[in-house]
Amino acid sequence: DTGLCVQGAARDPLSPPLDPEHGICSYYLVPLPEPIGGAFAVFHTTRLPRGFTALCRQLGRQLAVAAASIVHAADLREQLRAEVETAQQQAFVDPLTGVGNRRSWEAALNEAHRRVERGRPASVIVLDLNGLKEANDQHGHQAGDEVLRRFAGAVQRAVRAEDVVCRIGGDELFVLLVGADAETCRDV
C-alpha cells in the first residue's frame, strides 16, 4: 500500500488548517507520480474518526493517478501557451536588429489606418542605410550586421515609446510615428 493513512488525526495531526481543530479526523496522503510530485490528500471531517477502508485507499490511489494526469496536462498546456506566445512575439521581431519586421510593420500600418480614419494623424519615415554593402564587402558581414544593429538601436532610442520601428529590407528601416502631426515630426 503506497501512501500514508492516518486513521486518527488527533494522534498524528497535520499543520493547520488540516488539523483536528479544523475538523480533520483522519487523512490519507497518496504520492503523486512523476513528473508532478507532491501528494494527493483525502480527508474525513466527521467528528468521529471513521477511518479509511481498503476500498477508500484504493479509490484514493486511483484519484491520485487521475489528478496527476490532469495536473500534468494543465502544466503542458501552460507551457505550450507560453511557447506559442513567445513564437508569436518572435514572429513580429527582426532577429538581427531586435526591431519589428515586415509582419510587424503591416500590423502597425493596419492599426494606423484605423486611427487615421478616426481623424488621428500618423507619419511614416523611411530610412536607408547607405554604404552597408560596401561595409559588408570590406569588413565582412559580421561588421555590417553590427552597423545595422547599432543603426536600428539608435533609431529606436530616438523615437517615442508609442512609435514603431521596423526593418523592412536589408538596410531599410521604416518608422511609424503614431499620432504624429507635422509639429511632432519636427521634434523627432
Side-chain angles (χ1 to χ4, degrees):
D1 185 25
T2 61
L4 173 64
C5 184
V6 175
Q7 302 289 13
R11 290 187 309 272
D12 195 5
L14 294 172
S15 300
L18 303 175
D19 60 352
E21 284 186 35
H22 291 88
I24 303 299
C25 295
S26 58
Y27 57 89
Y28 181 44
L29 303 177
V30 183
L32 292 173
E34 292 299 326
I36 302 304
F40 179 78
V42 182
F43 300 98
H44 281 141
T45 57
T46 58
R47 284 289 160 212
L48 296 174
R50 218 182 93 180
F52 287 94
T53 65
L55 180 60
C56 289
R57 291 192 301 271
Q58 180 182 1
L59 181 58
R61 288 189 299 274
Q62 290 173 348
L63 287 171
V65 170
S69 296
I70 292 168
V71 170
H72 184 60
D75 283 347
L76 291 175
R77 186 174 46 253
E78 183 59 28
Q79 287 174 12
L80 182 59
R81 186 204 57 73
E83 288 175 17
V84 166
E85 185 176 305
T86 298
Q88 286 174 334
Q89 289 171 351
Q90 290 173 343
F92 286 85
V93 175
D94 175 57
L96 177 64
T97 61
V99 299
N101 60 14
R102 182 174 295 278
R103 187 175 288 126
S104 179
W105 181 251
E106 290 169 2
L109 277 183
N110 286 335
E111 179 61 29
H113 180 71
R114 285 190 287 278
R115 290 178 181 201
V116 168
E117 285 179 337
R118 291 184 300 233
R120 294 204 52 216
S123 297
V124 173
I125 300 172
V126 178
L127 303 167
D128 187 359
L129 185 60
N130 292 330
L132 185 62
K133 182 185 178 333
E134 292 78 16
N136 282 334
D137 291 345
Q138 287 182 343
H139 304 288
H141 285 281
Q142 286 183 334
D145 288 351
E146 181 60 26
V147 168
L148 193 52
R149 274 192 290 276
R150 288 182 181 200
F151 175 56
V155 172
Q156 186 70 59
R157 288 187 301 277
V159 299
R160 302 165 304 168
E162 64 267 24
D163 297 329
V164 180
V165 178
C166 297
R167 179 177 174 215
I168 301 302
D171 61 354
E172 288 182 329
L173 296 182
F174 287 15
V175 181
L176 176 64
L177 301 173
V178 179
D181 54 15
E183 186 176 323
T184 305
C185 289
R186 279 193 295 273
D187 294 338
V188 172

